[in-house]
Amino acid sequence: DAEITQSPRHKITETGRQVTLACHQTWNHNNMFWYRQDLGHGLRLIHYSYGVQDTNKGEVSDGYSVSRSNTEDLPLTLESAASSQTSVYFCASSSTANTGELFFGEGSRLTVL
Amino acid sequence: RKEVEQDPGPFNVPEGATVAFNCTYSNSASQSFFWYRQDCRKEPKLLMSVYSSGNEDGRFTAQLNRASQYISLLIRDSKLSDSATYLCVVNNAGNMLTFGGGTRLMVKP
């Protein structure tokens, strides 16, 4: 069965460290997204991609970057982790034909100390 | 003002009750609308799309009022398993969805 997986599921890091969260989908979807979810803010879009070599900034992109070298993967990098980036991160994908249905990964819980 | 606003709740209802949530959106050009469900510490999942004419899926009914810019979700005969957070989602343009903060529902025996 097709799926979308994130790793690591839990990570604790220190302020200033670089962190990369992996996202891999086997749906063959063109569209991929990274969201963060915090109490009081709901899901907020960080970056998104509509295809290979395409990346775009979302609502809360400062301090984050992504790259899309193939269809399956959209890794999210925190260049220099800050305590404000402690959150739960969700990766999602959708097909071009049905953009309303996002398939989410199980989430990555990141703690920055 | 947030693009998509929901009452965070929680809505505490007994089993068998009917409960309704509303959601308002600010962009009058919004094109499509959805309800997602999120269980505690889990990923969101699509519950249903919301069509202009209203639509029903079993015990769930979704309605859209474009003039007043709100979306509703009605759950009849609530089950314990309906306990979750319900996210209102709007597609303004392209392939990007904007999520509301969610409404938490707790169904009690």
Side-chain angles (χ1 to χ4, degrees):
Chain A
D1 286 346
E3 59 181 4
I4 179 165
T5 55
Q6 294 182 228
S7 63
R9 296 289 314 282
H10 300 272
K11 184 167 182 69
I12 300 174
T13 191
E14 295 177 340
T15 302
R17 300 245 183 188
Q18 184 181 83
V19 176
T20 296
L21 305 179
C23 176
H24 179 81
Q25 53 100 0
T26 58
W27 291 99
N28 199 33
H29 285 162
N30 286 326
N31 308 327
M32 294 186 74
F33 309 83
W34 273 104
Y35 289 87
R36 61 177 288 176
Q37 187 172 36
D38 307 283
L39 278 175
H41 289 283
L43 281 158
R44 291 182 292 173
L45 184 63
I46 305 171
H47 281 286
Y48 60 101
S49 168
Y50 291 153
V52 176
Q53 302 302 332
D54 176 74
T55 61
N56 306 280
K57 293 182 178 181
E59 178 189 356
V60 290
S61 60
D62 287 348
Y64 303 94
S65 63
V66 293
S67 61
R68 187 90 181 269
S69 58
N70 58 51
T71 300
E72 296 78 21
D73 299 289
L74 188 72
L76 177 71
T77 297
L78 287 67
E79 304 293 343
S80 177
S83 58
S84 60
Q85 294 177 309
T86 293
S87 186
V88 178
Y89 292 86
F90 286 101
C91 179
S93 70
S94 69
S95 70
T96 305
N98 185 9
T99 60
E101 183 164 18
L102 285 178
F103 292 86
F104 283 86
E106 293 182 308
S108 296
R109 185 174 294 273
L110 176 68
T111 302
V112 183
L113 301 176
Chain B
R1 183 185 171 190
K2 291 182 181 178
E3 274 196 66
V4 182
E5 295 207 61
Q6 297 181 249
D7 180 344
F11 285 60
N12 294 297
V13 302
E15 270 189 293
T18 296
V19 62
F21 313 133
N22 285 336
C23 160
T24 58
Y25 60 95
S26 61
N27 187 341
S28 60
S30 296
Q31 299 173 349
S32 50
F33 310 88
F34 310 89
W35 283 101
Y36 275 68
R37 170 190 170 131
Q38 185 173 24
D39 293 302
C40 188
R41 294 184 174 270
K42 298 283 191 180
E43 72 274 23
K45 293 183 180 178
L46 178 66
L47 177 66
M48 59 196 302
S49 301
V50 185
Y51 302 122
S52 297
S53 55
N55 50 298
E56 191 173 305
D57 182 2
R59 297 181 293 108
F60 298 82
T61 300
Q63 298 273 0
L64 168 63
N65 185 319
R66 284 190 183 271
S68 301
Q69 294 181 208
Y70 79 79
I71 306 147
S72 65
L73 178 68
L74 181 80
I75 305 175
R76 290 181 299 279
D77 188 23
S78 298
K79 311 291 185 192
L80 295 176
S81 57
D82 293 335
S83 297
T85 297
Y86 291 84
L87 305 171
C88 175
V89 185
V90 173
N91 185 342
N92 292 325
N95 301 324
M96 279 198 297
L97 302 183
T98 300
F99 286 77
T103 297
R104 189 172 170 207
L105 172 65
M106 298 180 68
V107 181
K108 302 289 179 65

